[in-house]
Amino acid sequence: MKSTRLIYSNGVVSCSSDVHPVATFLESLPGAYTTTRTHENGTTLLFWERHLKRLSNSARILVNSSPHLILKANKKNPSFFPHLSITSSLKWETRIRSLVRNSLNHVLPIALEERSNGEELAITALISGDLEKLKAMGNVANDDDDRVFQFLDVHLHIGSYVPPVFGIEENGAHLALVGRGRDISDAKYSDWVRLRKPLEKLRPHSVTELLLSNDGDRILEGCITNFFVICQIDKSEAEGKYMNDYGNAYSVEVQTAPISDGVLPGVIRQLVIEVCRIKGIPVREVAPSWERHQLWEEAFVTKRDHGESQHGRALVKGIRVADNGVSCVARSSLVSESQSLHSAIDTCIT
C-alpha cells in the first residue's frame, strides 16, 4: 500500500504512514473485534460471514456481562456502567452485520486502490460502545428498542498482509506454557491485547507463541492461537466420543480443547474440526494433556490475529513448559499417517 495502514472510524478515513499498528489500535479502544484477510488479489474476504457472526456474538456477550470491556468509560464516573440485556436475537446479529458491512463498503475500495498491485490486506473490525451516547438516550433496556444500536461505533483497521509460506520447518512455531486461561473466553475483545502483556514478559528466548493452561497439564489455547495435537488413540478412552464411527481407519486422532473449557471459538479452529469430520479424520474436543505428550505425533496451532500473525496453520517444532524452571521437548518425528491428516486439513483451509 502507498499508505501502509488505514483506519476508518464512524465515517472518517485516516490514511497515512502515521496510522498505528493494529495492536496499538486495539489497545486504544474497548470493544469486540475480529480480523480476517483478503484472498486472490483482494477479491475475497476469507470466511467473512463466520467472522461477522462471531463479532456480533462477542459484542452481545460483552454488553450483557462485561460492559466495561466494550464501553468507553465515563470520565466523571468511570465505574458506572448501565445494565443492558441483549438477547441472541436475529435482529441483533443482523444490525451488527449491517453496521460493519456499511463501513467496509466505504473503506475497502479506498484500501484496494491504495495498495500495491497483488498485495493482500488484513482487516480488523472493532465494535465499541459510547457510554455518553448511551446515557443521552435514557432508558434503553434491550435490543427490542432500535435505539440500542445508536451507541455503537464501528472502527476498521486495514493493513498490508504477506501470506506465510507453509511447510517450511524453519517457520514452525516454538511454544511455551506460561499462564492461566482467559476470562470471558467466549468473546474476542480488544482489552486482551493489554491483559496478555504480563505473560509476554515470561516469554523464553526464541518462543513465538505462549500457551495457556489452568492446571499446568491440560493445554487450552495460545494467546493468539488455538492449539491442536495429533495423538495416538487410546481406544478404551475414546470409545463413543466421536461423531462418526471411524473404525480402525486411523490409529491417531486430532485433539483440541472444547469451548466449554474456556477457549476462544476461533474461526479456523472450527474449520479444522469440520474438515476432519468431513474427511473422516477422528477428532475429539478434549484438552491435550502434557502428561501424556509421549502419545503425541505432532502439534500445530491455527492463528487468529492477522495484525500479529495470519490465517492458517503452523507446525510446532518444540514446546517448553515452565514449572520452577523450563524444560524442553522436541516434537516427535513425522509419521506418514499424521502427514496425511495435515494434507487433508491444509487442502481445505489454506
Side-chain angles (χ1 to χ4, degrees):
M1 294 176 67
K2 298 171 186 176
S3 296
T4 53
R5 302 183 187 95
L6 183 153
I7 289 179
Y8 181 88
S9 295
N10 295 327
V12 179
V13 178
S14 299
C15 183
S16 76
S17 57
D18 295 329
V19 171
H20 293 303
V22 65
T24 305
F25 162 74
L26 290 173
E27 281 190 88
S28 68
L29 290 166
Y33 80 99
T34 194
T35 303
T36 188
R37 69 174 177 91
T38 63
H39 184 54
E40 297 180 337
N41 196 23
T43 61
T44 305
L45 288 176
L46 280 184
F47 316 120
W48 185 230
E49 293 303 314
R50 292 177 184 249
H51 279 283
L52 287 177
K53 184 177 182 64
R54 186 182 62 181
L55 177 62
S56 65
N57 191 51
S58 294
R60 178 183 57 82
I61 291 169
L62 296 181
V63 167
N64 285 342
S65 64
S66 303
H68 63 287
L69 293 177
I70 194 170
L71 292 170
K72 287 176 282 190
N74 184 331
K75 294 181 180 179
K76 295 182 178 179
N77 189 358
S79 62
F80 170 76
F81 292 97
H83 173 73
L84 290 173
S85 177
I86 306 299
T87 67
S88 57
S89 66
L90 178 61
K91 180 178 179 181
W92 171 263
E93 183 177 330
T94 300
R95 290 296 294 271
I96 294 295
R97 286 172 178 264
S98 178
L99 287 170
V100 177
R101 282 174 175 160
N102 288 342
S103 294
L104 191 61
N105 286 341
H106 280 91
V107 72
L108 189 55
I110 300 173
L112 291 172
E113 180 68 24
E114 290 290 326
R115 68 181 180 141
S116 300
N117 184 42
E119 189 174 43
E120 303 293 355
L121 302 173
I123 301 170
T124 296
L126 183 140
I127 297 290
S128 185
D130 190 317
L131 185 56
E132 295 304 319
K133 287 183 181 179
L134 182 59
K135 288 176 59 181
M137 286 188 285
N139 185 23
V140 178
N142 54 57
D143 56 348
D144 290 329
D145 188 335
D146 284 335
R147 294 179 303 157
V148 74
F149 300 99
Q150 296 176 14
F151 77 91
L152 297 176
D153 295 326
V154 177
H155 308 274
L156 295 173
H157 184 287
I158 301 180
S160 58
Y161 167 82
V162 179
V165 178
F166 293 107
I168 298 178
E169 186 172 358
E170 289 72 20
N171 289 350
H174 294 259
L175 311 180
L177 183 61
V178 297
R180 294 182 58 80
R182 301 181 307 126
D183 294 329
I184 322 175
S185 58
D186 49 352
K188 192 176 180 73
Y189 55 93
S190 59
D191 203 43
W192 175 240
V193 177
R194 178 185 62 82
L195 293 173
R196 70 174 186 246
K197 280 188 173 181
L199 295 179
E200 294 291 337
K201 295 179 181 179
L202 303 175
R203 182 194 296 271
H205 179 67
S206 80
V207 164
T208 55
E209 169 64 321
L210 303 175
L211 296 178
L212 306 176
S213 172
N214 290 333
D215 60 8
D217 173 38
R218 291 170 295 177
I219 299 175
L220 301 176
E221 60 182 345
C223 283
I224 60 170
T225 61
N226 287 110
F227 179 75
F228 295 78
V229 301
I230 296 177
C231 183
Q232 297 173 27
I233 292 178
D234 183 332
K235 293 188 176 180
S236 63
E237 178 183 285
E239 185 175 358
K241 298 292 180 64
Y242 302 118
M243 296 203 50
N244 300 302
D245 182 8
Y246 297 107
N248 294 317
Y250 292 95
S251 63
V252 293
E253 66 181 4
V254 176
Q255 296 181 355
T256 192
I259 300 300
S260 58
D261 276 5
V263 302
L264 182 78
V267 169
I268 303 301
R269 172 192 180 277
Q270 184 58 35
L271 282 165
V272 170
I273 292 172
E274 291 174 12
V275 168
C276 287
R277 289 171 178 164
I278 290 170
K279 295 294 184 179
I281 298 170
V283 58
R284 192 154 57 104
E285 293 187 69
V286 60
S289 169
W290 175 254
E291 290 184 355
R292 306 184 68 182
H293 72 269
Q294 68 275 6
L295 298 177
W296 298 0
E297 299 289 354
E298 286 186 13
F300 64 96
V301 291
T302 55
K303 301 180 180 182
R304 301 188 302 236
D305 291 347
H306 303 265
E308 299 155 88
S309 55
Q310 298 84 25
H311 254 325
R313 180 186 59 78
L315 192 67
V316 172
K317 290 183 64 178
I319 297 177
R320 296 183 178 185
V321 177
D323 182 17
N324 296 324
V326 177
S327 59
C328 300
V329 58
R331 67 173 175 84
S332 302
S333 58
L334 301 180
V335 295
S336 58
E337 191 167 47
S338 62
Q339 284 178 317
S340 70
L341 301 189
H342 280 302
S343 297
I345 292 169
D346 279 346
T347 299
C348 294
I349 71 172
T350 60

